[in-house]
Amino acid sequence: MAVGVIGGLFMPAFALYGFATMATDSCGPDQCAASVTIPLSSAPFLYLTGACLALLSFAFPWTVRWRKARISVAWIGTATSASVVPLLLSVML
C-alpha cells in the first residue's frame, strides 16, 4: 500500500516541483532566498528516501515477529514522501 501511495504522489509532486522551479526565474539560482532554494534542492531527496524506505519494508521477513518493523518503515517512507507536497507548496506561496 505504501508503494501505491508514493506512486500516486509522483505526478502531483513532479508538477509542483516544475512550477516551484519557475518561481525562481525572477531571481535566478544564485540570488534567491534560502527559503526558496533549500526546499527545491531537498525535495527530490526526500521523495527518493521515502520511496527507498517503502521498498525496504519488503526486505523484512514476512513473519509475525517482523510485522511491526515492516509497517513502521513503510509508514515512515510514506510520510517522508508525502512531506514533499507541502514543502513545495510553501515555495509557491
Side-chain angles (χ1 to χ4, degrees):
M1 182 169 157
V3 175
V5 170
I6 292 171
L9 283 173
F10 178 74
M11 286 310 291
F14 183 72
L16 284 174
Y17 188 73
F19 286 124
T21 54
M22 283 190 260
T24 63
D25 285 346
S26 62
C27 60
D30 296 329
Q31 295 136 356
C32 282
S35 63
V36 174
T37 57
I38 290 174
L40 287 177
S41 62
S42 64
F45 295 111
L46 278 174
Y47 188 83
L48 289 175
T49 301
C52 289
L53 284 173
L55 290 174
L56 179 70
S57 69
F58 288 115
F60 286 109
W62 287 80
T63 59
V64 176
R65 177 179 174 209
W66 290 94
R67 174 181 268 169
K68 285 186 181 180
R70 206 172 54 244
I71 291 172
S72 297
V73 170
W75 273 104
I76 291 169
T78 304
T80 303
S81 289
S83 68
V84 170
V85 174
L87 180 70
L88 292 174
L89 282 174
S90 70
V91 172
M92 295 176 60
L93 297 177

